[in-house]
Amino acid sequence: DAGVTQSPTHLIKTRGQQVTLRCSPKSGHDTVSWYQQALGQGPQFIFQYYEEEERQRGNFPDRFSGHQFPNYSSELNVNALLLGDSALYLCASSFGNNYGYTFGSGTRLTVV
Amino acid sequence: GIQVEQSPPDLILQEGANSTLRCNFSDSVNNLQWFHQNPWGQLINLFYIPSGTKQNGRLSATTVATERYSLLYISSSQTTDSGVYFCAVEGGFSGYSTLTFGKGTMLLVSP
């Protein structure tokens, strides 16, 4: 049973560029959440997608946007990259409220 | 929003020692998970434990929801236990919610 898969694993971008990160949820999961983890910090919630719509959003600017596809996979897009966007981006999938979240290995984004 | 506090922030142990990590939260929860973050960044789920006690090998966890805390016990620690341990909770209020993480406990187990 495949877990949560994220791509790419590492990425280097230049300030001002745009980036797209991808996530495939665990089989049977229908909800995808994205988190940003800065060095030495706990993960911070960005947004959550369910039934192809953004269901909840954390305290992140509109430069951060996302999408969920009919097969439940998801993308995270970040426009006009800043140096401060350098972080580990984690995707988590879940089903309902009774079984917890499963996380992927993350995408490490470096903005130079 | 819900607040999550973990203690201690750092812990250094000799191999074979036991340890207890604590997680306090500020509101009722319907989900609490303990994670171990490996050196590559992946969050490995250790326990889904909104209440009660669970054990998995050398690890066990207890959540006392009425007193808003959870404990993670590591017995006979090994060097492979090193890493960051996170507690994350999901609020118990109606409607949708997501995981809120503590700042983590950095554990170093030396041989």
Side-chain angles (χ1 to χ4, degrees):
Chain A
D1 182 20
V4 179
T5 58
Q6 292 188 242
S7 63
T9 55
H10 294 83
L11 202 52
I12 299 176
K13 289 287 190 177
T14 304
R15 276 179 300 174
Q17 285 189 318
Q18 180 263 345
V19 68
T20 297
L21 311 181
R22 294 176 176 82
C23 171
S24 292
K26 181 178 179 179
S27 178
H29 286 186
D30 60 1
T31 302
V32 173
S33 305
W34 286 92
Y35 290 79
Q36 180 196 65
Q37 186 178 18
L39 200 62
Q41 302 295 317
Q44 298 291 315
F45 173 68
I46 303 175
F47 43 53
Q48 183 181 81
Y49 277 84
Y50 173 71
E51 292 190 343
E52 302 181 50
E53 294 201 356
E54 184 182 290
R55 185 159 73 174
Q56 282 203 103
R57 189 179 184 91
N59 188 25
F60 278 80
D62 292 344
R63 297 187 297 108
F64 289 78
S65 63
H67 188 78
Q68 185 179 34
F69 299 93
N71 66 353
Y72 307 119
S73 66
S74 176
E75 290 182 348
L76 164 65
N77 301 293
V78 187
N79 294 322
L81 284 167
L82 305 174
L83 295 178
D85 295 331
S86 296
L88 178 66
Y89 289 85
L90 293 161
C91 171
S93 70
S94 58
F95 177 77
N97 292 326
N98 299 321
Y99 304 103
Y101 292 74
T102 300
F103 281 78
S105 298
T107 294
R108 193 165 297 278
L109 172 66
T110 302
V111 182
V112 298
Chain B
I2 195 165
Q3 305 297 314
V4 182
E5 293 185 359
Q6 291 186 243
S7 61
D10 303 281
L11 188 57
I12 300 175
L13 300 173
Q14 287 276 343
E15 200 168 26
N18 302 328
S19 62
T20 301
L21 282 56
R22 186 177 180 101
C23 171
N24 293 331
F25 43 95
S26 61
D27 204 345
S28 60
V29 298
N30 59 15
N31 175 18
L32 187 147
Q33 289 182 255
W34 283 97
F35 295 94
H36 177 216
Q37 190 162 40
N38 65 24
W40 298 271
Q42 183 165 14
L43 286 167
I44 308 297
N45 180 53
L46 299 176
F47 293 102
Y48 169 77
I49 188 167
S51 64
T53 297
K54 290 186 179 180
Q55 181 156 8
N56 184 5
R58 296 181 297 103
L59 302 181
S60 63
T62 294
T63 297
V64 184
T66 53
E67 297 186 23
R68 298 182 183 168
Y69 74 88
S70 182
L71 302 174
L72 177 68
Y73 306 95
I74 304 174
S75 64
S76 304
S77 58
Q78 301 176 358
T79 56
T80 53
D81 294 332
S82 297
V84 184
Y85 290 80
F86 287 104
C87 168
V89 303
E90 186 170 29
F93 48 84
S94 62
Y96 308 117
S97 58
T98 62
L99 284 178
T100 298
F101 283 77
K103 293 185 177 181
T105 292
M106 170 76 80
L107 174 64
L108 177 63
V109 181
S110 58

